[in-house]
Each structure stands twice: as structure tokens, then as C-alpha cells.
């Protein structure tokens, strides 16, 4: 099956300038690589943007500052200063300041001053108090004396020093055959890994594999 040459297409057609030189028009290029326009691509944000007009400040009018000012007297002739203002916390903490800091001597206890200065501790004629003990010492009881044997070496000393727990359960108690977990995993299938052999079942393919399928001369179709 043969495919003929592509048909010449002049689309989209460019506007023709009647004053253009025919020779220059023949030497020019009148084809395009695609039908996509050549204008600069814009993002969706720029395409959706609506341009608004520039805000212009109005010209200065006469008595502009006076028009912006407020002419409502909320203080009704009083001082407009806020120096006397206080926060709620300051007002609460400052309440009854005179009563808090007006420290004075308590009244009505003048006749008790001499009695309060007297001491009721007697330094003589001390009664016999006996031998005092704490509650802990009074509750403590001395344990009875028990005579302990000097040594058990003549009776069961050797048997007490020996162990009667068989952890090996009757097996050999040597640890010569112990191996680390990593060594045990690396030694697994060691014979299969290092016993290299020739693969079997491919002897009949040796002659076919030695053949070359690259032609050195002549063309095949």
C-alpha cells in the first residue's frame, strides 16, 4: 500500500496585502505548524479578572475639615479628659483603701495585757515524771533467745551447696553445639548454595545456540 504526498493546505489563510511585492510574497513562508493562535497564553485567573477603574480622590472642598468633625457634645459641658478613668480591676483593688491601711492597736484588751505577759511555766517543784517511752518503744517486745547451730557442714553442708534442679532435662549440659541466630540462618542450605553443577536438559540446544542469525552478506526481504 503506497501513501501519496500530503496535500498542500493553506489554512488558516493569511490576509493579503494588495500593496505587497509579488516577489517578496513568493519568497515568504505561508504555512503554519498548527492551527493554534500566536497570541500570548493567559491563565484562568487573568482571564477571569475584571479590571476596574482607577479611584480618584475628590478635589479639596472648602471647609472639608469642619465637615469631617463631630459637633455633638456628649460631655454636656463637662471635662472631656479621660485621666480619671480606671479599669475594673484597679477600682476593685482600690476599694476601702483607708480601712485596709489604717492599722491601729486593738481596742478592749487593755486590762488583759498584764495577764498575758505572765508565765505559767514552773521552774521549781517539778513533779516526778518517771521514765518516759514512746509508743513505738512501748509496743516493741524483745524476741526470745534462740541458740543457733554453729555449722551444718558435718550433716547436710555438701548437699545444701549442690543444685538439684536439672535444667537440661537429662540431656548433655555442654554448650559446644550452640550457634548464633545469624550463623544458623547463613549456614542453611549451604550444600545447595556451593555445590555448583552443569544445568541438565539443554544439551540439544548447544548447536542451535552456536549458530549466528546475523547475515554478513545479501539482503533478506
Amino acid at each position: 500500500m503506497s501513501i501519496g504526498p500530503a496535500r498542500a493546505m493553506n489554512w488558516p489563510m493569511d490576509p493579503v496585502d494588495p500593496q505587497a511585492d509579488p516577489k517578496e510574497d513568493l519568497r515568504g513562508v505561508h504555512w503554519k505548524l498548527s492551527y493554534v493562535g500566536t497570541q500570548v497564553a493567559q491563565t484562568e485567573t487573568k482571564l477571569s479578572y475584571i479590571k476596574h477603574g482607577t479611584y480618584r480622590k475628590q478635589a479639596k472642598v472648602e471647609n472639608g475639615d469642619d465637615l469631617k468633625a463631630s459637633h455633638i457634645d456628649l460631655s454636656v459641658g463637662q471635662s472631656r479628659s479621660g485621666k480619671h478613668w480606671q479599669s475594673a480591676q484597679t477600682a476593685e483593688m482600690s476599694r476601702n483603701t483607708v480601712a485596709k491601711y489604717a492599722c491601729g492597736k486593738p481596742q478592749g484588751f487593755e486590762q488583759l495585757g498584764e495577764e498575758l505577759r505572765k508565765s505559767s511555766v514552773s521552774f521549781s517543784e517539778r513533779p516526778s515524771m518517771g521514765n518516759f517511752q514512746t509508743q513505738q518503744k512501748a509496743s516493741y517486745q524483745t524476741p526470745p533467745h534462740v541458740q543457733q547451730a554453729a555449722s551444718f557442714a558435718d550433716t547436710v553442708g555438701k548437699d545444701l551447696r549442690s543444685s538439684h534442679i536439672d535444667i537440661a532435662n537429662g540431656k548433655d549440659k555442654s554448650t559446644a553445639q550452640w550457634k548464633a541466630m545469624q550463623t544458623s540462618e547463613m549456614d542453611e542450605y549451604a550444600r545447595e548454595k556451593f555445590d555448583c553443577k552443569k544445568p541438565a536438559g539443554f544439551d540439544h540446544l548447544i548447536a542451535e545456540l552456536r549458530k549466528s542469525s546475523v547475515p554478513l552478506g545479501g539482503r533478506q526481504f
Side-chain angles (χ1 to χ4, degrees), residues 139-200:
S139 301
Y140 176 74
Q141 297 180 3
T142 305
H145 177 69
V146 179
Q147 187 175 1
Q148 187 177 2
S151 176
F152 294 95
D154 299 337
T155 55
V156 291
K158 185 177 180 180
D159 186 68
L160 291 174
R161 287 191 297 269
S162 62
S163 176
H164 298 277
I165 301 175
D166 189 5
I167 302 178
N169 295 326
K171 298 182 180 180
D172 187 12
K173 299 181 182 180
S174 176
T175 58
Q177 74 278 6
W178 287 7
K179 288 184 179 181
M181 181 60 68
Q182 182 178 3
T183 306
S184 178
E185 292 293 334
M186 295 298 293
D187 291 344
E188 192 173 359
Y189 303 106
R191 184 181 299 276
E192 289 79 357
K193 287 192 293 186
F194 298 102
D195 189 8
C196 302
K197 295 181 180 180
K198 183 179 179 180

Side-chain angles (χ1 to χ4, degrees), residues 26-79:
L26 290 174
R27 287 194 293 269
V29 179
H30 300 278
W31 50 270
K32 294 183 179 181
L33 297 178
S34 62
Y35 300 112
V36 181
T38 58
Q39 63 273 14
V40 180
Q42 292 184 354
T43 61
E44 187 68 23
T45 305
K46 290 186 178 181
L47 292 175
S48 303
Y49 175 73
I50 301 176
K51 187 176 181 180
H52 300 277
T54 306
Y55 173 76
R56 294 183 180 181
K57 188 177 180 181
Q58 298 181 0
K60 186 176 182 181
V61 298
E62 186 178 0
N63 299 329
D65 296 337
D66 186 67
L67 293 175
K68 297 177 183 178
S70 176
H71 299 277
I72 302 175
D73 190 3
L74 301 177
S75 60
V76 193
Q78 299 180 3
S79 175

Side-chain angles (χ1 to χ4, degrees), residues 112-129:
L112 298 178
E114 183 178 355
E115 297 294 334
L116 293 174
R117 285 191 292 270
K118 291 182 179 181
S119 176
S120 59
V121 179
S122 177
F123 292 97
S124 62
E125 298 180 0
R126 206 170 158 193
S128 177
M129 306 300 292

Side-chain angles (χ1 to χ4, degrees), residues 198-210:
K198 183 179 179 180
F202 299 96
D203 298 335
H204 61 284
L205 297 178
I206 295 177
E208 297 295 333
L209 294 174
R210 290 176 181 173

